Structures are given as C-alpha cells and as structure tokens.
C-alpha cells in the first residue's frame, strides 16, 4: 500500500505486477479507483458552466454519452483531464483526478458561484460513491451475468444507471484507463464491498493495483496527469488536439483558446511522442538525445512493457523529431538506449 492524495492505495495484490498486467490483457481485472473525484453539475445552465472551463463540445453530447476533456488555463496549460457525461437524468456526471481534487473542486465551485451571481441556474454536488473499474477483454461477459441491461447496447463512452449484482443505483460507464474494453462502475458506498465480492467470485476476475494500472495505460499511450501533461503543457503539445470540439475551436470560447487554436494551424515547439527501446528501461526524467548526442527532450513516463517484451515510454521532443520511426537516444545510468 502507498499513500496518494490522502488515500492509502494498493500497488499490487498477491499476483506479481507482470502477472496482474497480463491477466488484464487476457481476462479482466478489478481496480478500486474510489479515490477519483466524482461530481454532479446540476441546473439548466450546467453545460454553460462546463464549457466555460473545458475545451470539449459538451452541448453536442447525446443523453448518457461522455467524452474525455481538459480543464485549461488562460495560458493554454492543462489543469487536469476529466470525463464528462451528459446524463439522461438531467445533470453532468464528472470524474477527475484525485491528485487534483482540491484544485478541480475549487475551479468548479468558483465558477458555480460566479454564474449563480449572474442569476444562472447551476449547482454542484460531490458524489460520495465508490468507483470500481472492471477492465479486460472478458469484462463485459463477466458483468453481463449481474445486470438485466444488454451490455452490447452500451458502446464505448456511454453510460447507464442499473442494478449490478443486486446493488441498485449503479452508474456503469463503458470506458477505462487500460486500453482494453471495460467499465467503470460508480456504486453507492454501502454496496461497494458486496459488488466487488460478487465480481471476484468469477475466476476470470482478479484484483489489480496501481503498478499494473500504470503499465497498462502507458502501453496504451494514455497520459498520467502531473507526469505527461500539466499546467505547462498545451493540448496540442500533448498530442490531445482531438479533445478540442470543432464548434469550440471556431468560437474560441474556452480558457486559453487564443494560445491553443493558433497552435493547431501553426507549429508548436514540442510534442508528446511514444518511445520503444531494447535493453534497460527508460524512466521519467531521463534525457532524450538526438543521434548526435545533443539533449532535445525528456522522458515523462517509462517502464518495461509486459505485453510487448520491450521498454515503452513517452516524452516530449521538438516537432522535427516527432515523426513515427525517428531514431533517438535516451540517456540512462547504465548508458544510452536506442
């Protein structure tokens, strides 16, 4: 167990990190991610509030559809990444990072007060639910045994409220942080242990901790806030331009738009790229060099890939070195890695 953002979280359970990682890729694993901040944005001006803070097109979301979006500041930097779902119950369901809990909550609460002072109809409620992520190719099959809804009708980034293994009032969202099929289940606290126990009765399911979660998301090229993206990274630099809604780009009405939108058409100084190498693993903060040995960037996340049997990483390099297939060097304590 390790301390993280005021929580005590599991790095791994009985199985080794590698076994747990591969089990997720081949079967499915259960992650307790209840440390994430879950909020409801209420009122008829809820979309106006959210669009004043994020880069995405929230107004275009269909009922129970969600999207990954980004809180940005006026300098174009990323304050956090989050998932926003427009529920059929008339509120926005928002999940953001525990490491940014206080910052995100203050950002949203301040905007709620600002809009309320203008006479707008908007409110915010922090959800005290647990959050369980069931991830892997057999996740839907495992979950189907405990729900009446047909999960084939729950495509990626959509959600529905349903009873799950006898626990009512669960919000099941088809998403995750592993690169696999799976769901995240927002479950009332009183039913969380019962639900986890029911899922773990299936031999397909094993508990997995932070170590496997990190290597799984890194293999899938998914960012970890604070490592791969932060307040000094723009969405374009972070290779996250796809999160910028088309209507929002044209209107330039999100925080930092004056910095971010020109970057879409012009040239940015650096970009986030994926790296692979043989030999010793690349780690965060390792210098990235060009083939002449000049430092050009830095690794932001790195680890051995249990699935690929190679070392994977991501980091930032100048645009001219960002083309796939470009050969670079990474400086390690044991010597350079190609």
């Amino acid at each position: 167990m390790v301390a993280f953002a005021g929580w005590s979280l599991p790095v791994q359970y009985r199985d080794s990190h590698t076994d747990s990682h591969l089990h997720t890729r081949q079967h499915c694993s259960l992650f307790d991610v209840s440390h994430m901040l879950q909020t409801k944005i209420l009122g008829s001006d809820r979309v106006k509030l959210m669009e004043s803070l994020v880069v995405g097109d929230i107004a275009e979301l269909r009922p129970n559809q969600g999207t990954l979006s980004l809180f940005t500041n006026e300098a174009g930097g990323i304050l956090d990444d989050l998932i926003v779902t427009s529920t059929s119950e008339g509120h926005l369901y928002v999940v953001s990072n525990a490491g940014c809990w206080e910052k995100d909550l203050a950002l949203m609460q301040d905007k709620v007060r600002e809009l309320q002072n203008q006479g707008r109809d908007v409110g915010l409620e922090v959800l005290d639910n647990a959050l369980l992520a069931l991830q892997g190719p057999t996740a839907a099959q495992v979950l189907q045994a405990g729900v009446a809804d047909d999960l084939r009708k729950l495509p990626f980034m959509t959600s529905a409220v349903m009873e799950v293994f006898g626990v009512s009032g669960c919000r099941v969202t088809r998403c995750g942080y592993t690169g696999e099929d799976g769901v995240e289940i927002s479950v009332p606290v009183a039913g969380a242990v019962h639900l986890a126990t029911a899922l773990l009765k299936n031999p397909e399911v094993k508990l997995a901790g932070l170590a496997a979660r990190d290597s799984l998301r890194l293999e899938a090229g998914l960012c970890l806030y604070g490592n791969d993206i932060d307040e000094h990274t723009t969405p374009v630099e972070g290779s996250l331009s796809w999160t910028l809604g088309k209507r929002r780009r044209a209107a330039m009405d999100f925080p930092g738009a004056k910095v971010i939108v020109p970057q879409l058409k012009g040239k940015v100084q650096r970009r986030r790229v994926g790296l692979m190498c043989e030999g010793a693993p690349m780690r965060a903060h390792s210098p990235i060099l060009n083939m002449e040995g000049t430092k050009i960037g830095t690794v932001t996340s790195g680890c051995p890939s249990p699935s690929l049997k190679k070392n994977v990483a991501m980091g930032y390099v100048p645009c001219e070195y960002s083309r796939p297939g470009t050969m670079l060097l990474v400086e390690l304590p044991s010597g350079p890695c190609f």
Side-chain angles (χ1 to χ4, degrees):
M1 305 292 285
V2 295
F4 177 77
W7 298 78
S8 186
L9 297 181
V11 176
Q12 67 182 73
Y13 293 87
R14 182 180 298 132
D15 298 315
S16 73
H17 167 203
T18 298
D19 288 347
S20 184
H21 177 113
L22 294 173
H23 184 84
T24 312
R25 289 275 182 251
Q26 293 154 11
H27 304 278
C28 69
S29 295
L30 183 65
F31 300 81
D32 181 359
V33 291
S34 304
H35 58 295
M36 305 287 278
L37 173 60
Q38 300 178 70
T39 49
K40 279 183 180 181
I41 308 294
L42 309 154
S44 58
D45 290 311
R46 60 191 180 276
V47 170
K48 180 180 179 63
L49 177 136
M50 192 50 60
E51 288 198 347
S52 73
L53 299 174
V54 304
V55 301
D57 191 339
I58 308 305
E60 76 163 1
L61 293 174
R62 297 185 297 277
N64 294 319
Q65 183 185 15
T67 185
L68 179 78
S69 199
L70 307 169
F71 288 132
T72 47
N73 61 27
E74 290 301 334
I78 300 169
L79 296 170
D80 199 8
D81 55 335
L82 64 154
I83 291 178
V84 183
T85 300
S86 181
T87 73
S88 58
E89 292 80 28
H91 65 266
L92 299 178
Y93 169 58
V94 180
V95 180
S96 55
N97 287 302
C100 299
W101 182 296
E102 291 178 358
K103 178 174 74 172
D104 291 354
L105 195 52
L107 183 73
M108 291 187 282
Q109 286 174 332
D110 287 350
K111 187 58 72 169
V112 165
R113 281 191 289 270
E114 181 187 319
L115 291 183
Q116 285 176 343
N117 289 339
Q118 296 170 9
R120 301 285 184 174
D121 176 27
V122 69
L124 181 148
E125 178 188 325
V126 176
L127 278 174
D128 191 31
N129 281 9
L131 191 64
L132 301 177
L134 188 68
Q135 299 284 301
T138 61
Q141 169 198 318
V142 166
L143 190 64
Q144 189 64 74
V147 300
D149 298 58
D150 184 353
L151 295 176
R152 289 174 300 184
K153 295 177 180 172
L154 191 75
F156 182 60
M157 293 307 288
T158 63
S159 97
V161 175
M162 60 185 81
E163 182 177 294
V164 185
F165 286 99
V167 181
S168 59
C170 294
R171 177 168 292 282
V172 178
T173 306
R174 197 74 171 259
C175 68
Y177 191 50
T178 60
E180 294 294 338
D181 186 19
V183 294
E184 291 186 354
I185 308 167
S186 180
V187 52
V189 167
V193 173
H194 170 85
L195 176 54
T197 305
L199 289 167
L200 288 163
K201 281 179 182 166
N202 190 318
E204 277 292 304
V205 186
K206 289 187 176 184
L207 284 162
L210 289 180
R213 189 168 156 83
D214 191 50
S215 55
L216 288 158
R217 69 94 192 167
L218 189 45
E219 282 185 347
L222 303 174
C223 293
L224 174 62
Y225 188 83
N227 280 46
D228 309 304
I229 49 175
D230 59 26
E231 295 185 18
H232 306 290
T233 316
T234 70
V236 181
E237 290 173 332
S239 299
L240 294 169
S241 301
W242 58 271
T243 62
L244 303 166
K246 190 175 179 183
R247 174 178 61 84
R248 308 300 309 278
R249 297 180 191 200
M252 291 184 67
D253 59 353
F254 56 86
K258 288 183 173 63
V259 175
I260 296 165
V261 172
Q263 288 184 346
L264 291 166
K265 300 180 182 125
K267 196 175 176 186
V268 287
Q269 295 296 307
R270 58 183 191 143
R271 279 195 187 276
R272 179 174 63 93
V273 296
L275 305 163
M276 280 201 299
C277 82
E278 311 283 351
M282 300 169 279
R283 298 293 185 189
H285 312 300
S286 296
I288 302 172
L289 318 174
N290 63 19
M291 296 307 285
E292 288 72 51
T294 303
K295 183 182 173 183
I296 57 168
T298 307
V299 172
T300 54
S301 291
C303 71
S305 161
S307 305
L308 299 172
K309 305 288 189 288
K310 291 181 179 177
N311 301 308
V312 295
M314 57 176 90
Y316 284 83
V317 297
C319 269
E320 58 267 32
Y321 293 99
S322 65
R323 189 183 297 276
T326 302
M327 290 290 288
L328 296 170
L329 298 167
V330 173
E331 195 174 283
L332 304 173
S334 57
C337 163
F338 292 84

